Amino acid sequence: MAKCDVCGKDENMPYNCRHCGGTYCADHRLPENHNCTGLENWNDPQGVFDSGFDDGVSSSGNTSRASSLTDKLPIDTGPGGPLAYFRGNATYTFLALMWLTFLAQWLVLLVAGSALHQSLFTLTSWNVEYVWTWVTSVFAHSPGNFMHIVGNSIVLFFFGPLVERYIGSRDFAILFIVSGALAGLGQVLISAAQGAPTAVLGASGAALAIMGVLTVLNPGLKVYLYFILPVPIWLLTAGYALFSVFFLSVGGGGPIAHGAHLIGLVIGLAYGQYVKRNRNLRAPSRLEFGGGGPGGPGGPGGPGRGRF
């Protein structure tokens, strides 16, 4: 529950303004309805919101449009174009990138072999200086383990939109990429220090960071494990943490990078505390999707950052 910054109304599902960072009810969610300070820096060269009555917004903008990179693309990137769905929607953009990267991995393996595939997509203890793999390894997944990408996709699909809604698309994108990259780097550096060089790829570090944020914002958020068993998200998160700690302590766990799991989770918990302290936001009391109402199932399964 959060209060509207304008009228003080209690809101179960508050709106977080991406321009000024305030919290508002449905009546005051639009920037012009809460005197948004971010409007002072608003730049609308294409006159998207020009109604013909506001002389302050130019509807021509020919010079700006000509210099815009997006206007040079052969695809309509405006609000009504085919890419409009991805505007302000980092969760599903990253989900699409994961599957496109998975397809690209197979193409590279079939055409050029494993050496190029490793150089492009895999973060390893022996090629940490390949800085592009810090990011590509987050979106790449084990080609021989289809459930690897499926598991991470499930977590991102169900939990990602909740976190993005409360922290905004820009901060969500930063959280996803930074937590995923740091989780992978931490795993390979720890393995190298232990004398067991390894390679990692997968989005589980970022997925655990997302779960960590939700755990802090609302630890009682009900999640239907495997679509059947209702459990609070704090219990699910704690289970992953204990599972990873156990296998790290005994030196087992198979091809799963448990160190990356823990690093991503710690980043998510820390960022969740920051968001809760500075924005006074909470997630819903249960995870709902589709038309099923309160009894609908929640996000099952779990992430798995591959190590081989």
Side-chain angles (χ1 to χ4, degrees):
M1 187 75 69
K3 291 184 178 294
C4 173
D5 292 346
V6 175
C7 64
K9 178 182 177 182
D10 290 329
E11 282 288 322
N12 254 344
M13 302 289 284
Y15 294 88
N16 182 236
C17 180
R18 297 174 182 171
H19 303 293
C20 66
T23 302
Y24 304 101
C25 64
D27 294 332
H28 297 103
R29 67 185 181 91
L30 297 178
E32 57 268 28
N33 289 345
H34 60 259
N35 295 323
C36 180
T37 56
L39 287 177
E40 298 175 1
N41 301 319
W42 179 254
N43 180 21
D44 185 26
Q46 296 186 5
V48 173
F49 299 108
D50 185 10
S51 62
F53 298 98
D54 184 2
D55 293 334
V57 180
S58 171
S59 60
S60 57
N62 293 328
T63 303
S64 298
R65 285 199 299 270
S67 60
S68 172
L69 177 61
T70 56
D71 288 327
K72 296 177 182 178
L73 296 174
I75 304 175
D76 182 5
T77 60
L83 299 183
Y85 181 76
F86 296 100
R87 285 178 173 270
N89 196 342
T91 298
Y92 297 121
T93 299
F94 286 160
L95 192 59
L97 285 175
M98 281 169 49
W99 285 92
L100 289 174
T101 302
F102 191 65
L103 176 61
Q105 289 179 255
W106 272 107
L107 290 176
V108 170
L109 282 172
L110 292 174
V111 174
S114 59
L116 182 60
H117 174 271
Q118 185 175 97
S119 297
L120 292 177
F121 301 108
T122 308
L123 175 59
T124 70
S125 302
W126 53 89
N127 71 357
V128 177
E129 71 277 8
Y130 292 0
V131 293
W132 58 88
T133 62
W134 299 5
V135 176
T136 58
S137 64
V138 177
F139 294 93
H141 289 79
S142 303
N145 184 0
F146 185 67
M147 292 308 298
H148 185 203
I149 188 172
V150 170
N152 281 331
S153 296
I154 288 173
V155 174
L156 183 59
F157 181 83
F158 289 128
F159 296 145
L162 287 176
V163 175
E164 182 178 0
R165 179 170 185 175
Y166 287 96
I167 69 176
S169 297
R170 185 195 65 177
D171 290 350
F172 179 86
I174 294 173
L175 172 69
F176 186 90
I177 294 175
V178 170
S179 62
L182 290 179
L185 285 169
Q187 178 68 53
V188 298
L189 292 177
I190 291 172
S191 298
Q194 294 176 338
T198 189
V200 298
L201 74 175
S204 66
L208 264 297
I210 291 171
M211 289 181 63
V213 172
L214 279 179
T215 300
V216 173
L217 291 182
N218 195 331
L221 175 67
K222 185 180 294 183
V223 178
Y224 284 79
L225 186 62
Y226 299 111
F227 297 100
I228 299 174
L229 180 64
V231 296
I233 193 172
W234 73 263
L235 185 59
L236 183 63
T237 303
Y240 277 121
L242 292 174
F243 181 78
S244 296
V245 169
F246 171 77
F247 280 108
L248 280 176
S249 63
V250 300
I256 300 177
H258 295 288
H261 285 190
L262 290 176
I263 293 171
L265 179 58
V266 169
I267 293 173
L269 292 173
Y271 185 70
Q273 288 288 353
Y274 169 81
V275 171
K276 187 174 183 179
R277 183 173 60 251
N278 292 278
R279 303 190 188 182
N280 192 30
L281 297 178
R282 291 185 63 198
S285 60
R286 65 180 62 193
L287 187 60
E288 301 175 7
F289 54 92
R305 188 178 182 90
R307 182 175 68 184
F308 54 88

